[in-house]
Amino acid sequence: MTMLILGVDPSVTQCGLALYRFPGSERDIECLSFSAKGDTTEEKCADFGLRLHDICLARRPDFICLEAAMRLIAGYQKRVKTDLGGKTHGYWTPNADQMVLPEIQGHVRQLAIDRGIGFETVAVKTWRAALYGRGGGSLGKDDAKRRARDYCRWLGVTAKNHNEAEAACVAIWASRCSQNLKLMRAGLAG
């Protein structure tokens, strides 16, 4: 049974998507990306949901695999100043990009539920370790982006940017490792 897997590297800045007709040649994975429009985070998230909905209506994937939002939000110190007594003052702020990813993940999950599409999230460290091997799950941000592009090039997958490359990697991980997809293919999932 052939299934269309939609791999998603989520972001409102530039979301990467990959469509993989499985089983089939990984070389034939179709990659695309889009940037959500809007003036506020809420508008961008809503636009993300609408765009993904349109893609799912047009392409009708059987399974969606999404890079999971991190549960721990990184923060960084901002505006550190030293007073006349030599004491430093500042405040911490969260990484704004990480704050929006759970909302995006909710859009994808609800779309899958509403359309009856199989669905799974995968931690970034999990899919990277599975595809790249030992040490692949602990790559720094720039190394990880480069590795995804190199991996796709090695497979013959055409990806225009690192977001599309990572989405292709997520789709490949689903085809090789997803227990939910294996259950669907065996006809055991509900």
Side-chain angles (χ1 to χ4, degrees):
M1 165 169 76
T2 302
M3 298 183 84
L4 184 60
I5 300 170
L6 174 61
V8 183
D9 179 35
S11 173
V12 292
T13 307
Q14 186 178 55
C15 177
L17 302 171
L19 293 153
Y20 179 18
R21 185 129 336 256
F22 174 77
S25 174
E26 292 167 346
R27 176 182 300 273
D28 295 331
I29 292 174
E30 178 186 354
C31 297
L32 54 144
S33 53
F34 66 84
S35 297
K37 293 179 174 47
D39 294 327
T40 66
T41 300
E42 290 78 14
E43 289 173 357
K44 289 178 182 178
C45 285
D47 186 61
F48 170 92
L50 291 171
R51 285 172 177 249
L52 192 64
H53 181 266
D54 290 346
I55 289 166
C56 286
L57 281 176
R59 298 305 189 78
R60 304 207 181 280
D62 300 296
F63 191 79
I64 299 173
C65 191
L66 168 75
E67 187 177 274
M70 290 176 32
R71 299 283 185 214
L72 298 174
I73 305 300
Y76 55 94
Q77 199 165 15
K78 212 171 174 183
R79 293 189 188 199
V80 178
K81 294 184 179 184
T82 305
D83 64 20
L84 294 175
K87 189 173 179 181
T88 59
H89 300 277
Y91 62 92
W92 288 85
T93 185
N95 180 324
D97 291 341
Q98 289 179 332
M99 298 294 288
V100 75
L101 292 178
E103 187 171 341
I104 290 173
Q105 184 171 302
H107 278 284
V108 178
R109 179 180 289 116
Q110 193 60 50
L111 173 68
I113 291 167
D114 290 347
R115 307 295 298 164
I117 300 170
F119 174 83
E120 184 166 358
T121 60
V122 59
V124 65
K125 289 184 176 198
T126 300
W127 73 255
R128 285 180 182 161
L131 267 57
Y132 306 154
R134 187 178 187 98
S138 59
L139 294 170
K141 187 175 182 177
D142 291 337
D143 286 339
K145 291 176 182 181
R146 186 174 24 263
R147 180 73 66 95
R149 288 190 305 265
D150 290 347
Y151 190 77
C152 284
R153 228 180 336 269
W154 177 70
L155 291 173
V157 175
T158 303
K160 294 182 288 294
N161 55 57
H162 72 271
N163 297 301
E164 291 182 6
E166 289 198 340
C169 290
V170 168
I172 292 166
W173 177 88
S175 73
R176 296 178 185 176
C177 304
S178 169
Q179 294 303 309
N180 290 351
L181 182 63
K182 288 177 184 172
L183 289 172
M184 281 183 66
R185 290 181 54 78
L188 301 174

